Amino acid sequence: MSSQIRYVFAPAPPASAAIRGSIERFPVQRIYCVGRNYEEHAKEMGFTGREAPFFFLKPANALLSAAEGETVRLPYPSLTQNLHHEVELVVAIGLGGTRIAAADAAHHIFGYAVGLDMTRRDLQNDMKKQGRPWSIGKAFDHSAPIGPITPAALAGDVARAEIVLEVNGVARQHSNTSQLIWSIPEIIEHVSAAWELRAGDLIYTGTPQGVAAVVPGDRLQATASGLAPLYVQVV
Ligand code: MN
């Protein structure tokens, strides 16, 4: 008797992200996202910027991974008239754990990337008004573009990285990760208090001010100093 599991159909391969300077890929488990983690963005969304961190998730297969230098094509999603960009620093977890203290967080980090938390803002706002889950606004297919992951040892000072999003060559979002309300180690402490973090988890750490709409044909360039850029074309 074989103990090998037999599936009724072939399971999909895991979602994965490119790694800078490597042919190996980073297999993705879950995608956590932090809401409102820059004060100026919290204010532009109508909040004070002083709340405890909160989280939502996207399915792993919402990932849209770009290889080094590649421009990935992002299909304009259905049901929306207001697709927003949110440029974010992404943390890639290489070692899981629960109740990870902020002081120990670095040990759990594989690397960093720049990503986009794409948002169907009109649908998200409808759900907010009704007190319903954000999934339809946040967790749609291809909603999580990500650039190549830079291993932590090769990344710059991610706690003080300039983070920029340009659309068609014009800056829309421009901030610095030093402006994060909750730092990367603090985010890891909070997430791992609520879930057991696993190797392969990604955490999108929140977006600075300047979120706005894109339309088909737009070319996006997301950068964070010390990390590989992300290039996206909306199609
Ligand atoms: Mn976001």
Side-chain angles (χ1 to χ4, degrees):
M1 283 288 287
S2 166
S3 61
Q4 194 184 349
I5 296 168
R6 296 197 298 178
Y7 296 99
V8 293
F9 53 83
S16 66
I19 298 172
R20 189 177 202 173
S22 174
I23 58 164
E24 294 184 314
R25 296 185 66 85
F26 181 89
V28 173
Q29 280 275 342
R30 279 119 17 132
I31 304 175
Y32 295 96
C33 301
V34 185
R36 298 193 286 265
N37 201 19
Y38 287 83
E39 187 174 345
E40 294 307 316
H41 172 63
K43 286 179 177 167
E44 79 181 349
M45 301 304 283
F47 296 87
T48 65
R50 296 288 175 208
E51 302 128 286
F54 69 94
F55 307 98
F56 58 91
L57 288 101
K58 297 184 188 239
N61 61 13
L63 201 73
L64 183 61
S65 166
E68 270 183 277
E70 180 193 10
T71 299
V72 283
R73 293 162 66 84
L74 170 67
Y76 194 90
S78 61
L79 303 180
T80 185
Q81 311 295 324
N82 197 17
L83 176 66
H84 272 201
H85 54 72
E86 295 191 356
V87 67
E88 309 199 2
L89 179 74
V90 182
V91 180
I93 299 296
L95 177 67
T98 52
R99 296 180 194 154
I100 300 165
D104 299 328
H107 184 53
H108 294 264
I109 297 172
F110 173 83
Y112 304 92
V114 60
L116 290 165
D117 166 17
M118 299 304 295
T119 302
R120 294 193 281 209
R121 191 73 71 199
D122 42 1
L123 299 184
Q124 184 202 22
N125 287 341
D126 285 349
M127 294 298 110
K128 275 187 191 173
K129 275 183 212 144
Q130 299 180 66
R132 290 178 176 174
W134 289 7
S135 303
I136 199 167
K138 287 288 195 179
F140 54 93
D141 294 342
H142 316 297
S143 61
I146 188 170
I149 295 172
T150 300
L154 305 176
D157 181 3
V158 293
R160 272 164 286 274
E162 196 176 6
I163 186 164
V164 180
L165 178 75
E166 292 183 3
V167 178
N168 304 323
V170 177
R172 292 260 190 100
Q173 297 187 265
H174 188 178
S175 189
N176 192 289
T177 56
S178 63
Q179 302 300 305
L180 282 167
I181 295 169
W182 299 93
S183 70
I184 293 162
E186 288 169 338
I187 291 165
I188 289 173
E189 180 170 309
H190 276 94
V191 175
S192 70
W195 292 272
E196 178 178 351
L197 270 179
R198 295 182 190 166
D201 287 342
L202 298 175
I203 306 173
Y204 281 59
T205 59
T207 196
Q209 69 277 14
V211 299
V214 292
V215 295
D218 282 348
R219 300 181 77 91
L220 286 62
Q221 175 183 297
T223 55
S225 43
L227 303 181
L230 165 63
Y231 306 103
V232 173
Q233 180 167 23
V234 183
V235 298

